[in-house]
Amino acid sequence: MHFTSEQRLDDGVLEREFTLGEIPGILWTPETASASAPVPLILLGHPTLGLRKMYPRLVDRARHSAAEGFATATIELPGSGDRPSWPALDQARADLRQAMRAGKPVSDEIVDALILPLVDKAVPEWQAALDAFLSLPEIGGPVAYSGGVISIGIRLAVVEPRIVAAGLFAGSLVPRVMFEEARQVTIPLHVLLQWDDEGNDRQAALDLFDAFGSKEKTLNANMGGHTGVPQSAGDAAAGFFARHLK
């Protein structure tokens, strides 16, 4: 991991941009983080819109987490932001947009082409980044995952034993094969669902929640569209991470 910039935000949170090979990312640590008092870590997932576009939301989540005493970190997803283009992913995105504009159902083939290669590539990158984060003296774990493409969160929850809890947002398309992986998830889960999410299949989201194998799982469902998440939902997620990381 190579840090490329550093700034201290007005609330004392240290923000450091980095590269890990070809992968850019951002790490935020609270004032309390030090070699003598390492802090837990939350991995901040996000959609495939690019870190620059998502930065305002990510830094807001990072500030709130830092106030609870947690470090947070994120990486750019494959084929997104400043990373090299991924023609197959670009084609899947175009096929999705065309189907939605035409008012047609999104086929399983489109969903698989859009999500499965992304999961296969992004999850090992998240694991490599986690290796680097936990090598820093100011970060000691435990580790949680929060938000982003839900299928990436599912795969990480299955294959990464260092992640002890996950907050997932049921707002993205899910390939059918991911339901089988969901049954293998055993860590505590907090799942957020916007009831009127215009881009999400509500019944599929409910079926996915039912499929999760975790003994402790909570569904926080609120009225409103994809971007209408109420503050109370954020407070509930913060309480979830406080219970499992402190």
Side-chain angles (χ1 to χ4, degrees):
M1 176 185 288
H2 173 64
F3 289 109
T4 58
S5 70
E6 177 178 315
Q7 66 169 330
R8 194 167 294 277
L9 306 182
D10 53 17
D11 48 5
V13 178
L14 179 62
E15 177 184 281
R16 287 173 284 178
E17 296 188 10
F18 64 85
T19 56
L20 186 66
E22 67 170 14
I23 307 167
I26 310 174
L27 172 66
W28 294 272
T29 48
E31 289 182 297
T32 55
S34 67
S36 60
V39 296
L41 172 68
I42 301 176
L43 305 176
L44 298 182
H46 55 88
T48 57
L49 300 176
L51 285 183
R52 295 183 188 278
K53 186 170 184 177
M54 291 302 301
Y55 176 81
R57 297 184 195 178
L58 289 166
V59 73
D60 184 62
R61 292 162 65 188
R63 287 175 184 271
H64 281 90
S65 296
E68 297 290 331
F70 306 141
T72 49
T74 193
I75 58 174
E76 188 73 88
L77 291 174
S80 301
D82 295 329
R83 293 188 63 178
S85 63
W86 188 352
L89 185 61
D90 292 341
Q91 182 60 55
R93 290 169 175 162
D95 292 343
L96 173 65
R97 289 193 295 268
Q98 182 178 0
M100 295 182 71
R101 281 197 300 266
K104 297 179 180 179
V106 179
S107 69
D108 290 345
E109 290 75 15
I110 292 176
V111 175
D112 289 354
L114 183 68
I115 302 297
L116 294 179
L118 180 64
V119 172
D120 289 343
K121 189 172 177 63
V123 167
E125 293 181 348
W126 267 117
Q127 291 182 290
L130 182 54
D131 290 340
F133 300 144
L134 292 178
S135 72
L136 300 173
E138 64 269 33
I139 297 176
V143 180
Y145 177 85
S146 173
V149 178
I150 194 169
S151 292
I152 292 176
I154 293 170
R155 175 70 60 79
L156 276 170
V158 172
V159 304
E160 182 46 72
R162 293 172 293 183
I163 295 177
V164 302
L168 304 176
F169 182 34
S172 54
L173 299 168
V174 181
R176 293 184 185 275
V177 297
M178 295 304 301
F179 282 71
E180 290 303 315
E181 292 196 36
R183 294 182 175 90
Q184 302 174 47
V185 175
T186 59
I187 61 173
L189 296 177
H190 183 90
V191 182
L192 174 63
L193 170 64
Q194 287 298 102
W195 202 249
D196 305 303
D197 192 330
E198 54 277 13
N200 189 38
D201 183 330
R202 181 197 304 162
Q203 189 57 54
L206 295 173
D207 292 343
L208 180 64
F209 180 78
D210 189 51
F212 284 124
S214 304
K215 291 183 179 179
E216 179 186 338
K217 56 181 180 180
T218 299
L219 180 66
N220 188 321
N222 297 278
M223 304 303 292
H226 188 82
T227 60
V229 180
Q231 180 60 47
S232 59
D235 295 340
F240 168 79
F241 288 121
R243 289 196 303 276
H244 292 286
L245 295 181
K246 289 186 176 180

